[in-house]
Amino acid sequence: MWTFFHKLGSPPWLYAISGSILKYLLPATLLALGVGMVWGLLFTPPDFRQGDSYRIIYIHVPAAAVALAGYYVMATAGAISLIWKMKMADIAMQCCAPIGAALTFVALVTGSIWGKPTWGTWWVWDARITSMLILLFLYLGVIALYEAYDNKAAAARACAVLSLVGTVNIPIIYKSVDWWYSLHQPASIKFTGESSIHPSMLYPLLLMIAAFYALFACALLLRMRAEILDRERRTGWVRKLLEADAV
Amino acid sequence: MFGGLSFDICPGQLVQIEGANGAGKTSLLRILAGLSRYGFEGRVERHAPLLYLGHQPAVKAMLTPRENLAWHVAGEADFGAAAIDAALARVGLYGYEDVPSHALSAGQHRRVSLARLYLSNSPLWLLDEPFTAIDVDGVAALEERKAAHVAAGGAVVFTSHQPMRGNYNVRRLCLRRGLL
Amino acid sequence: MSAPSLPAFCLRLVRRQLVLAVRRPVEILNPLLFFAMVVALFPLGLGPDPKSLASFAAGTLWIIALLSNLLTSDTIFRGDYDDGSLEQLLLAPQPLYFSVLAYLGAHWLLTGVSLALISPLFALMLNLPLEALPALVASLLLGSGVMSLVGGVGAALTVGLKRGGMLISLLILPLYMPVLIFGSAAVRAAAQGFPAGPQLAILGAMFCLAIALAPLATAAGLRISIDA
């Protein structure tokens, strides 16, 4: 267990292992995304109230779910880097922020597009949209803080502290905003008990959520590999790698 | 910046860290003080309370020297007004105890913070450029104070470009391109 | 001679901060003046109709309080960082958690409490019903405590940066939002004749949580800023 943990801290090892993971994960992700998208958009029955416009949930819901989870991945990586001073955790945390922010942005935009036919307006200050907006602000705050520091090692630690503070606050923010405005439909996917969404619509949604998680993992690994190469560009193993590529 | 450093500082030692600008004197001192924890790999073991005086004298312009010094030592013990005034007198600030610090010069600010050397019970002193802005008499008094502290079983580590003027037994650590 | 007890040290730190502020009274008066000026902006922007002002009063007062707290939180540690006092505080034998708590407590007394006590005056200018005044003062007392504590985290993380002012708002404004929600809701409830107790209780709970956790993050932030 501990040797594995120590190996995680070694850039060449992480670079190699992430490469072999991506070789399988990336095609699988693209396949799942394609299947889920076609299934959801073409082969599910239309909703009897919202017609075809509800189909945007196949993008909106997974993006929102993974955006939120991404914050916790970031905070966990931050905690690891603070406690064990692990550089790879620094990199993971720093790479999470833009991906998470992008997903949050996608969730907001798709939510807004969905809002137009459903509520007749592009933007409604309802609980979940507002929470997503605040989540976007939290992500942007982390990115802004990282960019403001000249000393990148200190920047990573500062961002780790900020993301941990955000982690404590996210449930409070969500509950507050929920209380503030409870106009939205109540959550319709529950992992316990009866689901209020028909299975024919649910299965492609679950597939899409899984595909988005995998997409997040791929994007994270790709960004981390680029960042590792950038930081280690003066070391021997990167030079060797480049020479091997050039041949 | 530097690597492969390993040394002990024992009671009774007067250590001067030398080196060109940018050699890492201040960084080394901050690592020893525990202010820098992340930028280096290695271990610092401290077995005694320390007193660190950095580049900035930590003097508040809106407080008097007496109030400033009283706050500087507040974490260590409650020394009482008489001891604080006596320490200020030792660094040549007799008569300035109640003057707002913004009316004092940079050298006098430095002296307020150096007055801690006459109060502190900490055996280990880490002094970053303690002679900055101090006049000739002040430097001599400061050297004497350091020597007395070392003779009493304390230890002093300080950074400076100038060698000490008096004839003291100084151990020198010279940082040159990351080597000792 | 032995080290002073922890409460004595913290009280001394609070007293030092208060003395520093009293010797430069504009530091206390500026947030209040800011509050007064922004209050004057709202009738100019929204129109002088007393009824519409009254309906916005709760939210307006709370947003102004939030902004004036935000503007002062950048300065909590800045002076002490610049002149080296912060290094000495980090090296003091007392745990940083409690020193930070004392710092933030002093900030709360200087900005939040003074603002809460003077807020009824501005509430009357915005035509807030009289029966909402106790809820306004109570919610501002509790809420500004949370905001000082959370603001301390942002201040600690940005104190080492040359241009921290705008950044700190980006960092901590999202964290202020729950406080704003419950603070303004308490005042609005009281203005409509409902009890404000539940909202105030939640603000109190946030205050307790912030007292427990925010100094930890602030202390970590200060160590990072001093190290950078």
Side-chain angles (χ1 to χ4, degrees), chain C residues 7 12 48 61 95 106 180:
Chain C
R12 189 149 191 184
L61 287 165
L180 173 66

Side-chain angles (χ1 to χ4, degrees), chain A residues 29-225:
Chain A
T29 306
L30 294 177
L31 184 71
L33 272 180
V35 170
M37 201 93 82
V38 171
W39 188 2
L41 295 185
L42 301 179
F43 295 100
T44 50
D47 187 72
F48 85 103
R49 260 189 311 168
Q50 299 185 17
D52 282 330
S53 70
Y54 89 97
R55 292 180 199 277
I56 202 164
I57 65 165
Y58 295 114
I59 305 288
H60 175 72
V61 172
V66 179
L68 185 56
Y71 199 91
Y72 283 88
V73 173
M74 180 172 77
T76 311
I80 292 173
S81 98
L82 272 186
I83 296 168
W84 288 291
K85 297 186 184 180
M86 208 162 95
K87 276 186 197 148
M88 295 304 108
D90 269 12
I91 294 180
M93 184 194 69
Q94 173 210 342
C95 295
C96 266
I99 307 173
L103 283 169
T104 315
F105 188 69
V106 167
L108 277 174
V109 169
T110 51
S112 164
I113 294 171
W114 190 15
K116 184 65 183 161
T118 315
W119 295 312
T121 163
W122 291 107
W123 187 267
V124 176
W125 285 98
D126 95 319
R128 287 209 229 157
I129 291 182
T130 311
S131 301
M132 280 319 267
L133 187 65
I134 300 177
L135 182 66
L136 181 65
F137 291 156
L138 288 174
Y139 270 123
L140 294 181
V142 172
I143 296 173
L145 184 63
Y146 188 85
E147 293 303 323
Y149 271 84
D150 294 327
N151 175 348
K152 289 306 171 195
R157 292 197 301 283
C159 291
V161 171
L162 184 66
S163 58
L164 286 173
V165 172
T167 311
V168 175
N169 269 275
I170 283 179
I172 300 175
I173 291 173
Y174 267 61
K175 281 292 153 195
S176 311
V177 172
D178 235 15
W179 178 85
W180 165 73
Y181 207 92
S182 33
L183 177 107
H184 216 8
Q185 303 132 308
S188 50
I189 302 180
K190 302 178 197 101
F191 289 105
T192 54
E194 200 78 16
S195 176
S196 59
I197 172 172
H198 192 267
S200 62
M201 297 177 181
L202 178 64
Y203 293 138
L205 182 59
L206 290 179
L207 179 66
M208 283 302 279
I209 292 178
F212 263 70
Y213 271 104
L215 183 68
F216 181 84
C218 289
L220 181 60
L221 287 178
L222 284 169
R223 281 190 70 94
M224 281 179 71
R225 283 162 66 83

